[in-house]
Amino acid sequence: MARKSKLHLRELYSEENKDQIYDNVFAEIESFELPLGTSLRSVYDDQPNAHQRFMEKLDACIRNHDREIEKMCNFHHQGFVDAITELLKVRADAEKLKVQVTDTNRRLQDAGKEVIAQTEEIIRCRIQQRNITTVVEKLQLCLPVLEMYSKLKEQMNVKRYYSALKTMEQLENMYLPRVSQYRFCQIMIENLPKLREEIKEISMSDLKDFLESIRKHSDKIGETAMKQAQQQKTFNTALQKQNNVNYGRNMYAINGRVPEPKYEITSKRTLEEEDEHEEEVLTAHDLVDFSPVYRCLHIYSVLGDGETFENYYRKQRRKQARLVLQPQSSMHETVEGYRRYFSQIVGFFVVEDHILHVTQGLVTRAYTDELWNMALSKIIAVLRTHSSYCTDPDLVLELKNLIVVFADTLQGYGFPVNRLFDLLFEIRDQYNETLLKKWAGLFRDIFEADNYSPIPVANEEEYKIVISKFPFQDPELDKQSFPKKLPMSQSVPQIYIQVKEFIYASLKFSESLHRSSTEIDDMLRKSTNLLLTRTLSSCLQNLIKKPHIGLTELVQIIINTTHLEQACKYLEDFITNITNISQETVHTARLYGLSTFKDARHAAEGEIYTKLNQKIDEFIQLADYNWTMSESAGRASGYLMDLINFLRSTFQVFTHLPGKVAQTACMSACQHLSTSLMQMLLDSELKQISMGAVQQFNLDVIQCELFASSEPVPGFHGDTLQLAFIDLRQLLDLFMVWDWSTYLADYGQPTSKYLRVNPSTALTLLEKVHRGMKDTSKKNNIFAQFRKNDRDKQKLIETVVKQLRSLVNGMSQHT
């Protein structure tokens, strides 16, 4: 029983699965999903009667759909009936409409018959009218030919050759072919080539006259064109400045302040004057009659010989170009020579440009470019040669302005002028050289006229005048009451003003070069650096080396260069304000005035040391020692006291100098004095010295030591300055005390009392003293006991001399 139950359940389950499969197949069929192969294969499986059962299921499904269709038709049947009824009603109205359309068409056809008849009548009239016109034209063909030939003869008589050629062309192309069957037409045809040759010869003669005319008027044409270009540039500049002023006034107005419009009035007046000038300016067409070249071109073009005319014209103009480009030998002497040269060239190319634009083919852009390139190379070579002769910066500046106007004029006519502006950079270097030479003369005149003393100011007004010329600030000096003195001399503000004038002069050349503010700033700084590092530096060096410049002047020069060095930053600000280029810009050059004035200061310091030593030598040359005196005068020598007084007064002037300079000068003077005194003692021409002379010399050295210890220049520590005389002091002490035993015993020891005394120096001086003592003994006739003391002393000296010589020999062998 259980087995039967399981089989029954399995059959039930299989039946349900089959039903599900059939439903899926029907769904696919109804949805038209293709292909249906997989679904149909699932119907034919291993179950018996599967096809029969599928067909039964399919029939049942079809019956269900039929029932649904029948229901739907029943639902819409009444609407279908109503629609058929309405359609039957419309049929009657359609019949009525057809009858009306037919009637309307009949009446329209009846009305059009009259229009068609009138149209046919008009066509017939037009045909008749055209036939009549054709007959009239044929009858009158001969009359226009005769009239045109008569007109040709008249044009030849009044020299209207181009019109005559046009008339011939019309005769040949329009009139004569129409009546060529007549005999008179053949006669006309034979005469036309002769008339053409006659016109050709006459027009060529006119062209030659034209070429001669423009050669004579080229300078006037060029002058007019350059004047017009310059006025246009001035007009644009004034207009731009007026716009800038108006903009500035608006900005002031925003801040509540409106300046007086002084410049605006000037600008308006300038613009009005420019307008008047522009009305008076004549063009090239006003100065030269171009009709001959137009006429000749048209004539040759009409005659079909335009290429011959073009070649002839270009050849002649090339010859004229070579003549125009050849300058006068004295052109560089005056600006008028350059102006005439430029005017002729501009006039030549203005004519060519005019011909280029008003004619077609006679002058081409390629031809003018080639001609211009040839001319430009020649112009640059000429200007480079002649400008090198110019030594006057004003003439070079005027030449630059002429070149700018020349370039702007031709650039306005479409010619490239970049090479001219490149040439201006070469001329700018030459201009700077001429400026440097001129300013070198100005600097020399300023230095010659300077009194090299501080500038006195008696009151506030004079002080403000000086401050307005030179940027000087000293709070300590401001606190002092008038009258007072400024530390620098009169040349300082004058030099500062001239440097600014140089910058202005250099700026004049940089204007209108079509360069950026950065490039102009760089040019100004470079030229100013040349002025400072080369011209001014050279003038200062030459000034310092001049023999009439004394110590006081050298001290003032050092002070002046210090203030000029401090003013360099104001010069940089001055250039920045002109060019509006900040000093913080990466490519901005710096002024090298710092090194220039430092070098000048060092040279002046060296010259101070040299002149101070020379002055010391002059005093020492006045020394008149009696080297055989028996005893000293009891006081220092007069020349030495004068020398010390001179040094004291000189070092008082050094109070305005930097401390190290004054200290170095003082130490150098003391060392030179000590060396000179030592050389005086050791002079080979001095054979003997008495002890009295040694004592006198010791008194002089004592005065030198007192001078050194008095601190003539502040800043020395301890007895630093006295050490300059230490060699002399130890040598003289050795002879004054006659302490040879100590010297010889302690020689070579670091703690020796006479460490700075060289054995050779001591030997030389001792030999001179020995000879002096011998000479004194011979002359003195005194008691025998004194002679015995002298003999003992001489023996001691001889012993010391031997020991010193052995030391000197030992030193030489060791060396």
Side-chain angles (χ1 to χ4, degrees):
M1 289 296 291
R3 184 177 182 183
K4 290 181 178 180
S5 300
K6 289 181 180 180
L7 291 173
H8 181 67
L9 291 173
R10 187 177 299 170
E11 291 175 357
L12 290 175
Y13 180 73
S14 176
E15 290 293 331
E16 291 177 358
N17 288 341
K18 283 293 181 180
D19 293 339
Q20 183 67 33
I21 291 172
Y22 296 156
D23 292 339
N24 291 338
V25 172
F26 297 153
E28 290 179 0
I29 294 172
E30 290 176 358
S31 62
F32 298 101
E33 292 184 0
L34 297 176
L36 301 175
T38 304
S39 300
L40 292 177
R41 278 196 301 270
S42 63
V43 176
Y44 299 96
D45 53 6
D46 297 337
Q47 295 292 331
N49 302 323
H51 178 264
Q52 182 178 357
R53 295 185 64 183
F54 173 73
M55 295 303 297
E56 291 175 356
K57 285 286 184 179
L58 181 60
D59 292 338
C61 182
I62 292 172
R63 285 192 297 269
N64 289 334
H65 281 297
D66 289 340
R67 283 193 296 271
E68 290 177 359
I69 291 171
E70 186 177 355
K71 289 179 182 179
M72 187 178 292
C73 289
N74 292 334
F75 179 77
H76 293 288
H77 176 70
Q78 186 61 41
F80 174 72
V81 173
D82 294 339
I84 293 298
T85 304
E86 289 295 329
L87 185 60
L88 292 173
K89 292 179 180 180
V90 170
R91 184 173 62 181
D93 294 335
E95 291 292 336
K96 292 180 182 179
L97 180 61
K98 181 179 179 181
V99 172
Q100 292 177 358
V101 170
T102 302
D103 183 61
T104 301
N105 180 56
R106 179 185 55 77
R107 287 188 284 109
L108 181 61
Q109 292 295 330
D110 294 339
K113 291 179 180 179
E114 184 178 354
V115 175
I116 291 172
Q118 292 177 357
T119 302
E120 292 176 352
E121 182 65 24
I122 290 174
I123 291 172
R124 284 193 298 272
C125 291
R126 290 288 175 86
I127 292 173
Q128 291 176 359
Q129 183 180 4
R130 184 180 60 189
N131 292 336
I132 293 171
T133 303
T134 302
V135 171
V136 171
E137 289 177 355
K138 293 296 182 179
L139 291 175
Q140 293 182 347
L141 276 178
C142 292
L143 182 61
V145 173
L146 295 174
E147 289 178 350
M148 290 296 292
Y149 195 79
S150 175
K151 179 180 178 182
L152 172 61
K153 287 294 185 180
E154 183 180 355
Q155 289 171 343
M156 291 291 293
N157 292 332
V158 297
K159 298 182 180 181
R160 295 174 57 192
Y161 303 114
Y162 178 72
S163 300
L165 288 174
K166 286 296 183 182
T167 303
M168 290 183 195
E169 185 178 353
Q170 290 178 358
L171 278 171
E172 288 180 330
N173 297 332
M174 296 176 59
Y175 295 97
L176 291 177
R178 298 174 185 174
V179 291
S180 58
Q181 66 273 20
Y182 299 108
R183 185 177 179 182
F184 72 90
C185 292
Q186 296 299 324
I187 298 174
M188 291 181 183
I189 292 172
E190 292 174 359
N191 287 335
L192 291 181
K194 299 177 181 178
L195 293 175
R196 283 195 175 93
E197 286 300 322
E198 182 182 352
I199 291 173
K200 227 172 147 181
E201 293 175 358
I202 295 172
S203 61
M204 182 57 70
S205 176
D206 292 343
L207 176 64
K208 292 178 180 178
D209 295 339
F210 166 78
L211 292 175
E212 182 65 21
S213 174
I214 60 174
R215 189 183 68 81
K216 294 179 180 179
H217 290 86
S218 287
D219 55 344
K220 185 63 177 177
I221 296 171
E223 181 182 353
T224 303
M226 291 174 67
K227 184 184 297 183
Q228 189 176 16
Q230 189 171 12
Q231 289 175 353
Q232 183 64 36
K233 183 177 179 181
T234 305
F235 175 83
N236 294 336
T237 303
L239 187 62
Q240 184 178 3
K241 288 182 178 180
Q242 183 182 10
N243 294 335
N244 293 338
V245 169
N246 291 337
Y247 174 77
R249 285 201 323 168
N250 294 335
M251 294 302 293
Y252 275 113
I254 292 173
N255 296 327
R257 297 174 293 154
V258 178
E260 296 182 3
K262 294 181 180 179
Y263 187 79
E264 183 180 0
I265 297 173
T266 305
S267 299
K268 289 181 178 179
R269 188 183 302 115
T270 303
L271 296 179
E272 292 173 357
E273 292 175 356
E274 292 298 329
D275 290 340
E276 293 177 359
H277 286 305
E278 286 182 357
E279 291 177 358
E280 298 172 359
V281 172
L282 300 176
T283 63
H285 195 273
D286 297 326
L287 296 172
V288 177
D289 181 16
F290 286 90
S291 58
V293 72
Y294 303 153
R295 186 165 54 246
C296 195
L297 173 63
H298 293 322
I299 288 171
Y300 272 77
S301 299
V302 171
L303 295 175
D305 204 8
E307 184 176 355
T308 301
F309 173 75
E310 292 171 9
N311 293 335
Y312 177 81
Y313 175 84
R314 294 181 184 182
K315 181 179 179 181
Q316 295 301 317
R317 290 297 281 167
R318 284 181 185 276
K319 290 181 180 179
Q320 290 186 350
R322 283 191 286 270
L323 291 175
V324 167
L325 294 172
Q326 188 65 32
Q328 295 181 353
S329 58
S330 60
M331 183 179 71
H332 62 276
E333 296 178 356
T334 61
V335 70
E336 291 301 323
Y338 287 107
R339 182 176 285 111
R340 179 175 177 80
Y341 180 69
F342 288 136
S343 297
Q344 290 178 345
I345 297 173
V346 171
F348 178 88
F349 283 99
V350 166
V351 170
E352 290 303 291
D353 182 77
H354 183 79
I355 297 295
L356 172 67
H357 286 89
V358 299
T359 63
Q360 293 183 353
L362 177 58
V363 174
T364 62
R365 175 56 67 183
Y367 162 77
T368 55
D369 290 343
E370 178 188 357
L371 197 60
W372 168 245
N373 290 330
M374 179 274 293
L376 187 58
S377 299
K378 179 67 175 177
I379 293 167
I380 290 175
V382 167
L383 292 178
R384 189 178 283 123
T385 300
H386 283 263
S387 63
S388 63
Y389 300 144
C390 295
T391 58
D392 182 9
D394 295 332
L395 179 58
V396 178
L397 183 61
E398 290 183 357
L399 172 59
K400 168 258 173 182
N401 293 331
L402 278 177
I403 294 175
V404 170
V405 175
F406 173 73
D408 288 342
T409 304
L410 289 175
Q411 190 175 32
Y413 286 93
F415 295 99
V417 294
N418 292 334
R419 291 174 61 190
L420 284 174
F421 285 102
D422 294 338
L423 173 66
L424 282 175
F425 276 88
E426 298 180 22
I427 298 178
R428 182 202 65 186
D429 296 336
Q430 181 186 348
Y431 175 72
N432 285 337
E433 289 298 324
T434 58
L435 282 182
L436 292 175
K437 291 179 182 178
K438 179 180 179 180
W439 257 257
L442 293 175
F443 289 153
R444 285 194 295 268
D445 294 342
I446 291 173
F447 289 141
E448 289 293 334
D450 195 8
N451 57 6
Y452 297 98
S453 59
I455 301 175
V457 286
N459 49 47
E460 183 73 22
E461 184 178 354
E462 293 183 3
Y463 180 74
K464 288 182 178 179
I465 291 174
V466 176
I467 296 303
S468 65
K469 298 178 181 178
F470 181 76
F472 174 75
Q473 295 178 353
D474 188 352
E476 296 297 327
L477 186 64
D478 292 340
K479 295 177 183 179
Q480 299 178 13
S481 59
F482 291 98
K484 53 188 175 182
K485 292 183 178 180
L486 303 181
M488 64 284 207
S489 67
Q490 193 64 46
S491 63
V492 173
Q494 294 176 355
I495 291 293
Y496 183 79
I497 291 173
Q498 287 303 322
V499 173
K500 291 172 68 175
E501 290 297 326
F502 176 87
I503 294 173
Y504 276 127
S506 182
L507 177 64
K508 288 180 181 178
F509 196 94
S510 301
E511 293 173 346
S512 304
L513 292 185
H514 305 296
R515 298 290 174 177
S516 65
S517 299
T518 304
E519 292 175 302
I520 293 176
D521 181 86
D522 185 62
M523 287 188 286
L524 288 180
R525 291 179 186 275
K526 286 181 178 178
S527 58
T528 306
N529 277 330
L530 282 177
L531 178 72
L532 296 177
T533 58
R534 198 172 77 184
T535 304
L536 182 55
S537 176
S538 176
C539 291
L540 285 171
Q541 296 291 342
N542 294 334
L543 173 67
I544 291 169
K545 298 296 182 181
K546 287 187 176 181
H548 71 274
I549 297 296
L551 291 171
T552 304
E553 288 82 2
L554 289 172
V555 170
Q556 188 61 54
I557 289 172
I558 292 176
I559 296 172
N560 290 349
T561 54
T562 301
H563 288 284
L564 287 172
E565 178 184 338
Q566 296 171 354
C568 283
K569 61 180 181 179
Y570 296 100
L571 290 176
E572 289 196 348
D573 295 338
F574 178 71
I575 295 175
T576 299
N577 292 333
I578 291 176
T579 61
N580 293 324
I581 299 298
S582 174
Q583 298 180 25
E584 284 72 25
T585 305
V586 177
H587 301 290
T588 301
R590 301 298 179 189
L591 295 184
Y592 303 139
L594 194 66
S595 60
T596 297
F597 297 119
K598 280 185 177 179
D599 294 342
R601 202 156 50 246
H602 292 159
E605 292 169 6
E607 196 67 19
I608 285 178
Y609 306 149
T610 302
K611 287 187 178 294
L612 197 56
N613 293 341
Q614 291 174 352
K615 200 68 177 177
I616 292 173
D617 293 339
E618 292 176 4
F619 277 99
I620 289 179
Q621 289 176 1
L622 298 176
D624 187 17
Y625 285 103
N626 182 5
W627 298 108
T628 60
M629 66 173 60
S630 59
E631 58 182 16
S632 67
R635 61 181 181 276
S637 302
Y639 86 93
L640 188 69
M641 297 306 298
D642 294 340
L643 172 59
I644 290 175
N645 292 332
F646 165 75
L647 292 176
R648 289 186 188 280
S649 61
T650 299
F651 290 141
Q652 287 178 357
V653 179
F654 287 6
T655 54
H656 296 293
L657 288 176
K660 290 185 178 180
V661 177
Q663 293 171 14
T664 304
C666 185
M667 177 60 76
S668 173
C670 291
Q671 289 175 345
H672 184 73
L673 177 58
S674 175
T675 302
S676 300
L677 292 175
M678 181 69 77
Q679 290 175 351
M680 188 184 300
L681 280 178
L682 303 179
D683 188 4
S684 60
E685 295 182 0
L686 179 60
K687 302 300 182 181
Q688 60 182 14
I689 301 176
S690 66
M691 286 304 297
V694 172
Q695 293 171 0
Q696 182 63 44
F697 202 84
N698 183 56
L699 291 176
D700 292 344
V701 173
I702 290 173
Q703 288 298 323
C704 294
E705 291 174 328
L706 290 174
F707 168 74
S709 62
S710 66
E711 196 176 8
V713 172
F716 287 106
H717 298 288
D719 56 353
T720 303
L721 193 58
Q722 290 177 270
L723 293 177
F725 301 97
I726 188 65
D727 292 354
L728 270 177
R729 171 49 45 213
Q730 290 186 6
L731 179 63
L732 291 175
D733 285 347
L734 177 60
F735 279 85
M736 294 299 296
V737 181
W738 206 253
D739 195 7
W740 293 105
S741 59
T742 303
Y743 175 76
L744 294 172
D746 295 343
Y747 177 76
Q749 301 296 324
T751 58
S752 175
K753 180 179 179 182
Y754 305 102
L755 181 64
R756 304 298 295 271
V757 179
N758 189 284
S760 62
T761 303
L763 176 60
T764 302
L765 184 58
L766 182 59
E767 289 177 343
K768 294 182 179 183
V769 173
H770 187 198
R771 285 192 289 269
M773 293 177 67
K774 284 183 179 181
D775 187 68
T776 303
S777 298
K778 292 179 181 178
K779 293 180 180 180
N780 292 336
N781 187 12
I782 56 177
F783 297 103
Q785 58 182 358
F786 295 117
R787 288 197 297 270
K788 184 178 183 300
N789 291 336
D790 290 340
R791 287 196 300 269
D792 294 339
K793 195 170 186 179
Q794 288 177 6
K795 289 180 180 180
L796 176 61
I797 291 174
E798 291 174 357
T799 303
V800 173
V801 167
K802 292 179 181 179
Q803 294 179 354
L804 289 175
R805 283 176 179 169
S806 64
L807 289 176
V808 172
N809 294 331
M811 290 175 60
S812 62
Q813 292 176 359
H814 179 72
T815 304

